[in-house]
Each structure stands twice: as C-alpha cells, then as structure tokens.
Amino acid sequence: MKVPDQNTLTEVFATVDASREELIGELQQLCRQPSIAAQGIGMVETAAMVKQMMEDAGLNVELVETGGFPVVYGELDVGAPRTLLFYDHYDVQPPEPLDEWTYPPFGAEIRDGVLYARGVSDNKGNFAARIQAIRLLRQAAGDLPVNIKFICEGEEEIGSEHLGEFILANEGRLKADAAIWESGYRRANGQPGLYFGAKGILYVELRCKGANRDLHSASAAIIENPAWRLVWALNTFKGADERILVEGFYDDVVAPTKTDLEWLAKMAGGEQERLRSLGIKQYLLGLTGVELGVKSLFQPTCTICGLTAGYQGPGSKTVLPKQASAKVDFRLVPKQRPEHILQLVKDHLAKHGFGDIEVIVHSFEPAGRTSLDDPIAKVLIETAREVYGLEPSVAPTQAGSGPIHWLVDHLGIPTGSMGVGWDKANNHAPDESICVDDYFLNLKHVIMLMARYAEWQAEDQTD
C-alpha cells in the first residue's frame, strides 16, 4: 500500500480533465438505462451494468440476492491499514409526470453544461463518480491507499426493505473504518455540501371508515362522515405553533451540541434565494439563521402527505364518502425510535376518541448520526476545502431520511456524505439534473479523500 504523493494526484487530476467526455459518457449510459424499483422496470439490467462498472474498477463483485432486488457488493483488499466503505443505490424514482420534463427522463441529454436524467443526482451520478475515482487512482498510483468495500442496493427509493436482511447476513465482511453515504449537493454560492447523518422516518396511513358504501350527501344530517372524523383526528396532531401534540413525542429529542451550533452558524445564508425560488415570503414561524437550521435538522416533523375522500373529479357530485384516508410522515431525530413513536400515535388517537381509526405502517427507520469530531468528518471537510477552494457547508445531519442507521448504529461505522448534486438537482421531480462541472469536482474530491484518509491513517498509527 502506497499513499499517493502530490505528483500522483496532479497526474490523476490531469487524467480526469483529459477524459471528461469518456467519463461523462459512462454516466450517460448508466442513466439511459431505466431502473424504477417501484414499477419493477429495468432492475436486472441495471444491476448487471453496476456489477460490470465495479469489475472494471478492479473490485471483486457479487450480485447478492435478497427478498427483493439484488444488492451489488464489491470489495478490494490492497493490504492497507484501514478500509473505506461506499454506499449507493442503483434504483431511481418513477419519472412521472412525464409531460413536465423538458428533456426525456432517460435521455441523459446535456444542455448548457447541465445533464438531465432521472436518477442522475439521486443516485447514479454519485455511484459513477466514486467508481471512476477508484479506477483512475488505481491506474495512476498502481494501487489504492485504502481497502474498498462497496454496497449498491436496488431498493432505496422504495424503503430499502431488504437492506437490513443483506447487512445482517453479511456483518462479518462489512467491517470498515469509515463510510461515505450516497448524497451531497453544492449550494448556489458554490459551497460543497457535506452531511453526517439523516433523520429517521415513520410513514403511516390513517384510514377512517363510515357506512359500507358512498351515500347521497343529504344523509349527512344523520350519518357520520368519515372525512370530517379524519380531519378532526388530524387536528389533534399539531398546533398552529407547529408543536406536535402527540403525548410524549419530544421526550427523546436531543438538543444540538456546541459544535453542531457552530457549524449551523457557518451554514446560515442563502435563505432568501430559496424563498424566492419557492415563491413564498418566509419560513415557518418566521425563523432565520441558526434557529432555522436547528428547526430543520434537529427537530422532528409531522407532515400530512396526502388526503383522500369522496369525489374529486370534474364538476360536482354530492356524496357522503364511505371512507377517508390520510398519509402522514413523521421525520425523527436520533434517540426517537419509530416503533415507540408508532405506539404513541396509536395511544394519542385512542385518548382523543379516535381509536377506531386504522393505522397502517408503510415504512419506518431510525435516524443515524456521526459526530463532527470523528476523523472521517475532519478529512471530508479538509479535502473539500482543498478541491473546491471554498469553505464547505457542513450539516450535522440531513432533514431527509435514509437507512444510514444500518451503517452508523448497527455496524458502528462513522459515516459522512458528499456528492455530485447541486441546488437545482430536482431530485424526485421532473428535470432532475446535475451540473457537469460539479460532477468532475466531486470525482476529484473522492480521489483526494482516499489519499488524505490514507495519510491520516499513517499519522494515527505513529502516535
């Protein structure tokens, strides 16, 4: 194992610059292959492409079957003192609504330096950049300075239902000193975004039933309307001050540390640009600055994601619906356990006279976080400064959710996140995209990370 010197890094960065067309072409090819887990489209073909890309980078690769779509697992042991694990996923969100795309969702077209494709930001661009970085550094240095393990699953967009199954069956070979999670976005001011955790989630459907069939709305004088009953139940969940009213909901919420608050203060800024892009005047409760960051990253949420009842077609239809339903998600912070929150929600409904409302669980997973004092955080921050020439935007965690807890809590691997996204990525929406220049900056960041992490290992061992 040899740590790349500055001459080697200069050489491999020059290769990246000289090979832009070839490298972005590989990404385009991957993005042109649909892989829609929710619809079961193209999953086998994409898993095969991912496997081939890993093999081309020199990894020993296995398609690991699960109860759903396979996990593509690769590893490369170069005899280095420490090991980096990468986590990505090859599935993407459905592209609908198709008529809102400016360019074909699986066309991977480049216009004015922007590549448009479903999944290019979430998550095929991150996967491709990491695999290419491994391949190019190996070619330039003769070997890697760290051992590599690579998990690329096919069900992240549908809740990672079988990721735990894979991890539990393979704990012995998944040991690593640090991990790099799937996502990362460059801010509008150019700062690279780094993240060190993700919220958990409890996603439920509340279903309220009335009569055994829809009725004429004249019956509303004497027959209970499940839509009203559901609205009244939802009204007990949260107050106008945005405080969640489920008893015991906040008991396990942990306040941010002094270090967290210091990084949140550095993150503050760019708030007005986002408000303008969203067409709104202010954030909830008029929050700004550090308080806005604390609310976004360190406080849980309760969100009505959808409401369904009765007739919603064109024109009028006077009907008393037989059933009403609402989909609700709770974004959870560390220490909040989804199964405990689920029981609190059920107890809350019963206490307020709505125990008959059915609670159907669609997905849940705990939160996960890595300390900003961990070496992988320090190396990610330092290498971002070196590659981008800017102070990175460091988020102690993310407002969104993902199965990061499997790495952080179950396997005990400190984990950070960086990626190829940008402020106009439109993940899960029409015209998902990345900026091509950002892609190559992130590719170089991955290369620099492996080199500098190896240097940190050497210093650590001599202490």
Side-chain angles (χ1 to χ4, degrees):
M1 185 277 296
K2 179 183 177 183
V3 177
D5 58 21
Q6 190 57 50
N7 288 335
T8 302
L9 291 174
T10 300
E11 175 188 339
V12 72
F13 282 9
T15 301
V16 171
D17 293 336
S19 307
R20 283 172 61 108
E21 186 173 345
E22 172 192 343
L23 296 171
I24 208 69
E26 292 176 356
L27 173 59
Q28 286 176 295
Q29 183 179 6
L30 181 62
C31 290
R32 286 168 181 156
Q33 170 59 56
S35 51
I36 310 169
Q39 300 169 352
I41 295 174
M43 300 303 294
V44 173
E45 295 85 350
T46 309
M49 290 180 70
V50 168
K51 179 175 183 289
Q52 186 63 57
M53 292 177 72
M54 285 191 188
E55 289 174 343
D56 290 345
L59 277 65
N60 299 309
V61 190
E62 179 183 353
L63 276 179
V64 182
E65 298 298 330
T66 69
F69 300 117
V71 171
V72 188
Y73 176 73
E75 60 182 30
L76 179 62
D77 188 345
V78 298
R82 297 213 176 184
T83 300
L84 270 178
L85 184 150
F86 291 95
Y87 166 87
D88 288 284
H89 61 90
Y90 61 88
D91 63 317
V92 305
Q93 282 281 326
E96 287 80 3
L98 298 176
D99 60 351
E100 293 187 17
W101 283 79
T102 306
Y103 306 101
F106 296 105
E109 295 185 22
I110 298 176
R111 293 289 184 273
D112 299 321
V114 177
L115 197 165
Y116 296 89
R118 169 57 83 230
V120 68
S121 173
D122 184 16
N123 173 245
K124 291 179 177 178
N126 293 321
F127 165 75
R130 293 164 187 186
I131 284 296
Q132 290 171 348
I134 291 169
R135 188 181 76 211
L136 293 171
L137 185 55
R138 285 193 74 217
Q139 291 171 354
D143 217 334
L144 293 179
V146 290
N147 307 313
I148 294 295
K149 296 183 179 181
F150 217 122
I151 298 171
C152 194
E153 68 155 315
E155 298 181 325
E156 196 275 342
E157 300 293 5
I158 54 173
S160 297
E161 182 178 355
H162 297 95
L163 179 63
E165 169 191 320
F166 165 78
I167 288 176
L168 291 173
N170 295 277
E171 287 183 79
R173 61 173 173 171
L174 294 177
K175 292 179 180 178
D177 298 287
I180 302 301
W181 194 247
E182 55 149 326
S183 58
Y185 308 90
R186 198 175 183 193
R187 299 183 72 181
N189 63 4
Q191 286 181 291
L194 306 178
Y195 311 86
F196 294 92
K199 285 185 177 179
I201 190 170
L202 170 65
Y203 192 110
V204 300
E205 180 178 348
L206 305 180
R207 191 172 292 172
C208 186
K209 297 180 180 179
N212 60 8
R213 61 183 182 275
D214 285 353
L215 299 173
H216 192 292
S217 65
S219 300
I222 57 173
I223 304 294
E224 185 175 63
N225 185 331
W228 274 116
R229 189 162 172 73
L230 180 63
V231 169
W232 293 329
L234 291 170
N235 195 48
T236 70
F237 276 10
K238 193 163 77 166
D241 61 356
E242 293 296 319
R243 178 110 181 142
I244 298 165
L245 303 176
V246 174
E247 294 79 359
F249 189 83
Y250 292 97
D251 287 355
D252 296 320
V253 175
V254 178
T257 66
K258 179 181 178 182
T259 301
D260 293 332
L261 293 173
E262 289 172 351
W263 279 108
L264 287 177
K266 294 178 182 179
M267 281 179 62
E271 299 167 7
Q272 293 304 313
E273 289 87 342
R274 190 178 187 202
L275 287 175
R276 282 193 290 270
S277 73
L278 295 173
I280 56 179
K281 294 182 178 179
Q282 67 174 23
Y283 295 99
L284 283 176
L285 307 177
L287 295 176
T288 60
V290 173
E291 288 184 338
L292 181 64
V294 170
K295 177 70 172 175
S296 176
L297 302 181
F298 288 92
Q299 287 291 305
T301 68
C302 172
T303 303
I304 299 173
C305 300
L307 287 167
T308 303
Y311 179 72
Q312 296 179 29
S316 63
K317 180 181 181 183
T318 52
V319 62
L320 191 160
K322 66 177 182 179
Q323 178 175 292
S325 64
K327 293 192 174 178
V328 179
D329 79 37
F330 300 87
R331 300 282 173 169
L332 309 177
V333 295
K335 306 297 185 184
Q336 285 187 305
R337 293 173 290 112
E339 62 273 20
H340 177 59
I341 298 299
L342 174 62
Q343 189 58 55
L344 292 181
V345 169
K346 290 180 177 180
D347 292 345
H348 173 88
L349 287 170
K351 177 180 178 179
H352 290 268
F354 299 103
D356 58 302
I357 292 180
E358 186 180 7
V359 181
I360 302 165
V361 178
H362 286 286
S363 64
F364 70 88
E365 59 195 8
R369 259 207 71 188
T370 291
S371 168
L372 293 177
D373 294 322
D374 191 272
I376 191 58
K378 295 178 180 179
V379 176
L380 266 172
I381 292 167
E382 291 171 2
T383 51
R385 289 189 187 115
E386 195 168 356
V387 172
Y388 289 84
L390 294 167
E391 185 69 20
S393 172
V394 177
T397 188
Q398 295 185 67
S401 304
I404 197 170
H405 66 94
W406 280 110
L407 300 188
V408 174
D409 296 321
H410 187 82
L411 295 176
I413 304 173
T415 303
S417 189
M418 43 98 111
V420 305
W422 65 326
D423 64 307
K424 300 179 180 65
N426 284 343
N427 290 8
H428 294 206
D431 284 348
E432 182 177 349
S433 66
I434 64 168
C435 176
V436 172
D437 287 342
D438 290 345
Y439 180 81
F440 292 108
L441 278 169
N442 182 257
L443 198 162
K444 292 177 181 179
H445 190 187
V446 179
I447 293 170
M448 186 69 76
L449 170 70
M450 290 187 284
R452 295 290 183 257
Y453 189 54
E455 289 179 335
W456 170 82
Q457 295 173 61
E459 292 171 6
D460 181 65
Q461 289 178 349
T462 59
D463 288 343

